């Protein structure tokens, strides 16, 4: 985790996971940092392996993080190797799905990262790797099965990215 502290213009606020709810339909973790520590709603949450989720509730001394494995979570993502864009959504277990235009190449092992096209997540946060892919029924898109980098069952420590206000379009 210490390697992340010196990256970019974002401030990394370390936090311990003090509670977990990993039962569908809502997957969250409770963190031991809150508004007194500079935490705000929609700040991204990461660990040394990649994207964990985003802050959805903030108290004085705690915050609630919606995990990437929550059914209502989605993130603008891309293939790092060729910049193929798409929206990533969780499907089951430690797998998500990314739908990209059929004109882009996809290979097993390609890296999936945040695209930077959203108003919450900076560009380049690791998410996972392409596990397998197929064309959709209409042949217009490729559906990529993505193995997520983060092990949500063993997660104990995270960083909340304090994104500067001038680089955030929307904070609510």
């Amino acid at each position: 985790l210490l390697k992340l502290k010196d990256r970019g213009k974002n401030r990394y606020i370390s936090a311990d996971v003090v509670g977990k709810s990993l039962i569908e339909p809502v997957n969250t973790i409770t963190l031991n940092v809150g508004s007194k520590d500079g935490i705000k709603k929609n700040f991204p949450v990461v660990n040394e392996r990649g994207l964990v989720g985003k802050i959805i509730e903030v108290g004085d001394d705690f915050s609630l993080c919606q995990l990437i494995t929550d059914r209502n979570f989605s993130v603008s993502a891309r293939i790092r190797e060729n910049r193929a864009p798409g929206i990533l959504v969780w499907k089951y277990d430690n797998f998500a799905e990314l739908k990209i235009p059929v004109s882009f190449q996809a290979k097993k092992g390609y890296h999936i990262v945040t695209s930077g096209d959203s108003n919450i997540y900076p560009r380049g946060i690791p998410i996972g790797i392409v596990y397998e892919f197929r064309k959709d029924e209409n042949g217009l898109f490729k559906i990529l099965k993505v193995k997520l980098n983060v092990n949500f069952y063993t997660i104990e420590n995270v960083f909340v990215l304090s994104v500067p206000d001038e680089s955030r379009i929307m904070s609510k």
Side-chain angles (χ1 to χ4, degrees), residues 10 33 113 134 149 152:
N10 300 323
V33 292
V113 297
R134 61 181 166 74
N149 289 342
F152 295 95

Side-chain angles (χ1 to χ4, degrees), residues 13 116 118:
I13 302 165
S118 82

